[in-house]
Amino acid sequence: MTSHIKYAMNQNVDLTTFDNELELYKIKSINPSCNLVIRIRCDAVETQCPLGIKYGCDPVTEAPVLLTLARDLDLSIVGVSFHVGSGCNEPVAFRRAIAAASDVFTFAEQLGFINMYLLNIGGGYPGNKDTCLDKIADIVNDALDEWFPASSGVTVMAEPGRYFAASAFTLATRIHSMKKRSTIDEHMMYFINDGVYGSFNSILYDHSIVVPKPLNDYPMGKTSPCSIWGPTCDGLDQVIDQVNLPRMKMGDWIIFEDMGAYTIPVASTFNGFPLPKVFAVANRGIWHKLKNLMPFSEDHFTTVPIVATIKMVRSESSDDDTWEENDVEYNTRHYPCLHMKNMFSVPEA
Ligand SMILES: Cc1ncc(COP(=O)(O)O)c(C=O)c1O
């Protein structure tokens, strides 16, 4: 928006991205000396969330036109950016995008933009615990060696989002009600205290697949079919439609890992259900290292184990369901000692 461009200018921000003519005219009229990065479109075939449908110009048909206009407007182009799509499942898309960016660099330099120094390879990197960056890293490094070697002098930057955030948070939910789906099968419906209007909005907006893990050990090993539902009035508020879990009871906790990306920031308090409380958990050693380095106070952290954290939340809540101390046992196998990358968000019990 125009006001954003003005605000950024007043904050001495002198680098921004564009992908269409109107933005160029706006920048020309508000902050003509701003350095510009052209965002090109290069979509991975498989992504959790495609972004190219909204942003990025075609590198072959549109970028040359935009760069020519920028030159005619006497604007300063300094680089190229792309985002292959969030949650990219096609690593080779990065190779295509870097090759396309190289062509745009060449065209821009031929037009007379002599300060082309920046390549922004965006986000899209996976962040769940069972994912790995290596394949993408190999492809990116090979492509950079080919089209943007160190000798090119080009600065390469990335904007990882879910890579940092996803595995940093574990969500702990609690069963507040349950019923059999019908009289003819054993399918149980479990109702928990967070749903698609809360943290699990990521199921709708981020197309995420969430995996429930009961907090307790259920030694009998017997599982039965069930579904998991959020707390609101809406039938859409379903977290999982079919999964096999041990037979659980009121008050049991269900844990969901990898809940750090695109969850709470998008959540609402629809129907009056509060957002989860977020606790940062660290062992004392980590805490002692961090506390003088970062802008955190002791209030931001708990140094007690997760189960103690749950119990603390429980004791703060006004819920008076029956609560058995033995319901929750701290299990170091599942929840190793925690550091900054293991935060824990707990909805109101
Ligand atoms: C411009 C830009 N950069 C980076 C990101 C982070 O993406 P991701 O979480 O896929 O790494 C986004 C997310 O939408 C974005 O729009």
Side-chain angles (χ1 to χ4, degrees):
M1 286 176 217
T2 303
S3 58
H4 294 147
I5 300 173
K6 282 184 189 157
Y7 180 82
M9 182 181 71
N10 291 334
Q11 300 302 312
N12 298 320
V13 173
D14 66 351
L15 183 66
T16 192
T17 308
F18 74 99
D19 69 357
N20 68 71
E21 287 188 6
L22 181 60
E23 294 303 313
L24 283 180
Y25 286 115
K26 272 198 242 169
I27 291 160
K28 174 71 184 175
S29 70
I30 298 166
N31 188 9
S33 63
C34 192
N35 293 311
L36 303 177
V37 173
I38 183 166
R39 177 159 167 176
I40 58 169
R41 177 176 183 178
C42 189
D43 299 342
V45 177
E46 268 184 76
T47 53
Q48 216 169 314
C49 291
L51 300 180
I53 51 174
K54 190 173 180 194
Y55 294 120
C57 65
D58 187 284
V60 177
T61 59
E62 294 173 322
V65 178
L66 289 172
L67 291 173
T68 306
L69 175 63
R71 185 202 53 190
D72 295 347
L73 293 173
D74 201 21
L75 294 169
S76 162
I77 305 285
V78 296
V80 176
S81 76
F82 62 79
H83 194 308
V84 295
S86 191
C88 169
N89 287 321
E90 195 215 0
V92 78
F94 282 91
R95 182 175 175 81
R96 282 200 305 277
I98 290 169
S102 166
D103 288 344
V104 175
F105 258 74
T106 305
F107 186 87
E109 281 160 354
Q110 284 165 357
L111 272 184
F113 292 111
I114 52 167
N115 296 325
M116 295 290 288
Y117 79 92
L118 187 62
L119 174 66
N120 180 344
I121 62 173
Y125 317 97
N128 285 5
K129 284 189 173 128
D130 61 352
T131 58
C132 176
L133 195 60
D134 292 358
K135 183 92 192 283
I136 292 179
D138 286 346
I139 286 174
V140 166
N141 286 334
D142 285 350
L144 292 177
D145 284 347
E146 195 168 335
W147 287 292
F148 294 93
S151 59
S152 68
V154 170
T155 300
V156 181
M157 64 173 279
E159 302 171 338
R162 73 174 72 242
Y163 173 72
F164 287 120
S167 65
F169 288 78
T170 297
L171 177 72
T173 63
R174 192 163 177 239
I175 297 173
H176 64 81
S177 191
M178 61 176 75
K179 65 178 181 180
K180 263 194 170 176
R181 188 171 60 181
S182 74
T183 49
I184 50 171
D185 65 17
E186 287 302 304
H187 183 112
M188 285 299 294
M189 299 170 71
Y190 293 116
F191 297 84
I192 59 175
N193 54 353
D194 202 353
V196 301
Y197 287 94
S199 313
F200 293 109
N201 73 80
S202 59
I203 295 171
L204 304 181
Y205 297 126
D206 193 38
H207 314 288
S208 66
I209 294 167
V210 296
V211 180
K213 292 188 181 168
L215 184 65
N216 287 346
D217 275 340
Y218 294 84
M220 299 308 286
K222 187 170 176 292
T223 62
S224 51
C226 63
S227 47
I228 300 178
W229 301 79
T232 67
C233 62
D234 192 350
L236 180 73
D237 194 1
Q238 185 188 54
V239 176
I240 290 175
D241 70 340
Q242 178 78 32
V243 67
N244 282 345
L245 289 178
R247 186 54 74 90
M248 292 191 280
K249 56 186 187 315
M250 272 278 295
D252 278 357
W253 290 83
I254 302 179
I255 301 298
F256 297 84
E257 291 180 337
D258 297 318
M259 287 293 289
Y262 308 115
T263 51
I264 291 181
V266 193
S268 79
T269 55
F270 174 56
N271 266 189
F273 291 104
L275 300 181
K277 283 186 187 169
V278 178
F279 292 88
V281 185
N283 69 29
R284 287 189 187 279
I286 299 265
W287 161 245
H288 282 299
K289 280 191 191 126
L290 282 177
K291 69 176 183 176
N292 297 325
L293 292 175
M294 306 189 78
F296 290 123
S297 78
E298 196 119 17
D299 295 343
H300 293 102
F301 278 85
T302 174
T303 50
V304 294
I306 282 181
V307 167
T309 306
I310 294 176
K311 287 180 177 170
M312 184 180 77
V313 174
R314 161 73 196 166
S315 68
E316 280 173 4
S317 100
S318 56
D319 191 335
D320 56 8
D321 292 339
T322 324
W323 170 258
E324 293 168 26
E325 281 296 292
N326 294 336
D327 276 353
V328 183
E329 299 246 46
Y330 182 48
N331 184 331
T332 46
R333 213 158 28 83
H334 295 144
Y335 304 100
C337 220
L338 297 151
H339 54 88
M340 269 298 286
K341 236 202 152 194
N342 281 299
M343 296 191 188
F344 200 61
S345 59
V346 186
E348 292 285 341

